């Protein structure tokens, strides 16, 4: 008997078929699988459907079981994204407004000096006179050391713009011209502080 004439029964439908009607299998009888191709196809289709349904149910069960956990996770994610956005926005606005405030103050001061040349000169003279009559004095190297000590930044706004000598207790209020009464401020911050007594150190 040649292989062509061998038949074997399908374990599913029970009908006998020639070996070509079975897929090859190392372990099956005559080296072929147990079910005829047609039954095999139907079985696999049903299995896949069953398996799919099972997986769907599993997923659903998992989802249900972790609903709270997942919601909390998503909530936390949303919050942290929002927080990041808020922080970067605040940072942006902070630097922008600090810079625009400095610039506005600088322009206002320039405008005032241009519009009030007499008063500007008088103020400068009065300041020089007060400084001359004030107790104490400081040297250029003391001033440089002080600026270095504060990182060469304005003690009020932190800008690294040109620093000016500010008397913590203004000369006009009887403050001394000693280095111990001096703090470095940028021009606009010096103007903004005016004759107030504010120690930014
Ligand atoms: Zn069959
Ligand atoms: Zn400043």
């Amino acid at each position: 008997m040649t292989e062509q004439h061998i038949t074997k029964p399908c374990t599913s439908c029970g009908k006998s078929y020639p070996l070509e009607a079975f897929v090859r299998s190392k372990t099956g009888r005559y080296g072929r699988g147990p079910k005829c191709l047609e039954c095999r196809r139907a079985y696999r289709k049903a299995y896949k459907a069953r398996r799919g349904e099972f997986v769907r149910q599993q997923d659903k069960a998992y989802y249900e079981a972790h609903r709270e956990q997942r919601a909390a996770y998503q909530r936390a994610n949303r919050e942290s994204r929002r927080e990041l956005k808020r922080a970067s926005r605040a940072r942006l606005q902070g630097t922008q407004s600090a810079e625009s405030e400095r610039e506005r103050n600088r322009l206002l001061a320039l405008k005032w000096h241009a519009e009030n040349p007499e008063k500007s000169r008088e103020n400068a003279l009065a300041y020089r006179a007060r400084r001359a009559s004030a107790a104490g004095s400081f040297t250029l190297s003391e001033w440089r050391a002080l600026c270095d000590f504060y990182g060469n930044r304005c003690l009020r706004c932190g800008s690294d713009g040109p620093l000016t000598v500010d008397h913590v207790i203004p000369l006009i209020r009887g403050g001394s011209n000693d280095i111990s009464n001096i703090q470095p401020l940028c021009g606009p911050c010096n103007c903004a502080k005016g004759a107030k007594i504010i120690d930014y150190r």
Side-chain angles (χ1 to χ4, degrees), residues 8-17 22 34-36 39-40:
K8 75 176 236 170
C10 165
T11 57
S12 185
C13 63
K15 290 181 200 151
S16 282
Y17 294 100
F22 300 83
K35 293 186 182 70
C36 72
C39 287
R40 186 171 180 273

Side-chain angles (χ1 to χ4, degrees), residues 102-171:
R102 270 201 299 280
E103 184 59 14
R104 201 173 53 238
N105 287 340
R106 197 179 68 82
L107 292 176
L108 280 175
L110 283 177
K111 192 163 166 261
W112 185 88
H113 287 289
E115 285 171 357
N116 305 275
E118 281 301 313
K119 275 190 177 155
S120 170
R121 205 162 23 245
E122 271 170 38
N123 283 357
L125 285 171
Y127 175 78
R128 246 169 268 157
R130 277 199 302 276
R131 193 178 56 196
S133 66
S137 65
F138 62 90
T139 65
L140 186 59
S141 67
E142 279 180 313
W143 164 245
R144 284 197 181 134
L146 187 72
C147 291
D148 280 344
F149 182 75
Y150 291 115
N152 292 301
R153 292 192 170 269
C154 168
L155 284 189
R156 182 171 178 263
C157 72
S159 102
D160 58 357
L163 294 173
T164 61
V165 170
D166 177 72
H167 294 86
V168 177
I169 300 169
L171 297 176

